[in-house]
Amino acid sequence: MKSLEELAAIRDRMKNVVNTREAGEDNIRIAVGMATCGIAAGARPVLNAFTEEVARRELSGVTVTQTGCIGICQYEPVVEVFAPGKEKVTYVKMTPEKVARVVGEHIVGGTPVAEYTIGAAQR
Amino acid sequence: MQELSMNVLDVAENSVAAGSTLTRVTVEIDTAQRLLTVTIADNGRGMDEETVRRVTDPFYTTRTTRKVGLGLPLFREAAEATGGGLTIESQPGRGTTVRATFTLGHIDLAPLGDMTGTIVGLVQCNPEIDFVYRVTADGEEFCMDTREVRDILEGVPLSTPEVAVFLRGYLQENTENLLKRSTLI
């Protein structure tokens, strides 16, 4: 059975990671819509999938967090990606299956996955 | 909502929005009484009596961008469908406690679902505030307090993806057998 003591090892590893980069400004933020509409549409598994993918790839400077309802409930689960110096990218009707590509191509590679974005959905 | 745990996430987000710094989520399973009780208790800004009366009305919301608020009405509906109910106690400046009861074994009881995902999501997305998650089943108990986790982390944020992944495994393993009892009737 896992115990909280195992967190100490993660803490020590993370402290090293945090120390080797400039904290703050260069962070990429992945925000999953977690209001009633997002949750009902399946936001929680999407949040979980992003978290696992970011952890698996050991990406530093990437935060997975939540946002409220941004008024496009019919497109939930909605995910917004904020990268420093770049325009916000809004992904719609997200699923856990789509997450690996977004992390690989966009978060790591720097190129948004156009076909998952709201621009593509509205066409 | 397909799972009660999704209602819990939604209602606990109200606590976060109300400025709660310590939110307690409790799941109690009593198989002898066929009773499942889910409580979300916060120390946020609370509500006056009039507001408490209105919050389970789907056409009431505090938001200004649209005219419906479905979180609490959906949770109440899920409880009442099983012969249970929902109560809200609140005091301005002190906090709010939402308690829903469900009849175990009732044909219309929605599955509890991924409670671990709900708790980890709350903790990860709101790393500056604290949560206490307690599960009891017929006298056995598990409890996680993020203040304790925070102490161990020594400044490493609760939002760190690696920490969230660990907490997920930790909660899953430690609550699985307790939560399973809600499905045994």
Side-chain angles (χ1 to χ4, degrees), chain B residues 28-162:
Chain B
E28 293 162 288
I29 296 162
D30 183 336
T31 53
Q33 305 283 331
R34 294 182 157 244
L35 184 65
L36 168 66
T37 310
V38 178
T39 310
I40 299 112
D42 70 50
N43 65 357
R45 71 177 66 92
M47 297 175 281
D48 58 34
E49 274 176 52
E50 170 64 14
T51 310
V52 170
R53 256 198 308 278
R54 295 169 68 186
V55 280
T56 60
D57 171 359
F59 297 102
Y60 178 79
T61 180
T62 53
R63 58 184 305 145
T64 50
T65 47
R66 61 171 96 339
K67 291 192 172 63
V68 289
L70 290 173
L72 282 167
L74 289 172
F75 199 30
R76 183 180 67 176
E77 190 180 84
E80 288 179 351
T82 73
L86 182 116
T87 60
I88 302 170
E89 286 164 38
S90 193
Q91 259 185 295
R94 300 289 293 274
T96 300
T97 297
V98 175
R99 178 172 287 118
T101 56
F102 304 84
T103 307
L104 287 175
H106 194 286
I107 189 149
D108 290 321
L109 177 65
L112 204 42
D114 185 10
M115 271 307 298
T116 292
T118 284
I119 300 299
V120 174
L122 284 167
V123 170
Q124 169 187 11
C125 293
N126 304 286
E128 310 300 330
I129 60 176
D130 286 301
F131 294 89
V132 175
Y133 174 44
R134 198 164 69 90
V135 179
T136 70
D138 300 330
E140 280 180 62
E141 177 177 321
F142 168 80
C143 187
M144 180 196 71
D145 187 330
T146 54
R147 289 170 296 190
E148 205 181 315
V149 178
R150 209 181 284 283
D151 279 350
I152 299 175
L153 285 174
E154 294 175 1
V156 172
L158 282 161
S159 56
T160 310
E162 286 82 352

Side-chain angles (χ1 to χ4, degrees), chain A residues 12-117:
Chain A
D12 294 341
R13 207 164 61 236
M14 286 306 127
K15 276 187 170 170
N16 289 332
V17 173
V18 172
N19 288 338
T20 54
R21 69 160 192 265
E22 293 288 308
E25 304 275 297
D26 60 337
N27 266 24
I28 295 180
R29 202 157 57 84
I30 303 169
V32 182
M34 298 274 272
T36 305
C37 49
I39 293 168
R44 196 188 52 193
V46 171
L47 175 84
N48 183 40
F50 270 111
T51 305
E52 292 199 335
E53 190 65 15
V54 169
R56 192 181 66 78
R57 289 171 173 265
E58 299 181 5
L59 303 178
S60 63
V62 179
T63 321
V64 185
T65 186
Q66 67 179 7
T67 184
C69 170
I70 60 169
I72 48 168
C73 308
Q74 69 273 32
Y75 288 114
E76 295 283 354
V78 170
V79 174
E80 298 173 295
V81 176
F82 301 87
K86 294 195 180 148
E87 228 177 295
K88 174 186 81 176
V89 176
T90 304
Y91 291 108
V92 299
K93 299 194 174 182
M94 279 298 289
T95 63
E97 291 71 30
K98 291 177 175 174
V99 164
R101 251 191 91 189
V102 172
V103 173
E105 293 177 26
H106 185 179
I107 309 301
V108 177
T111 311
V113 184
E115 63 191 271
Y116 298 163
T117 61

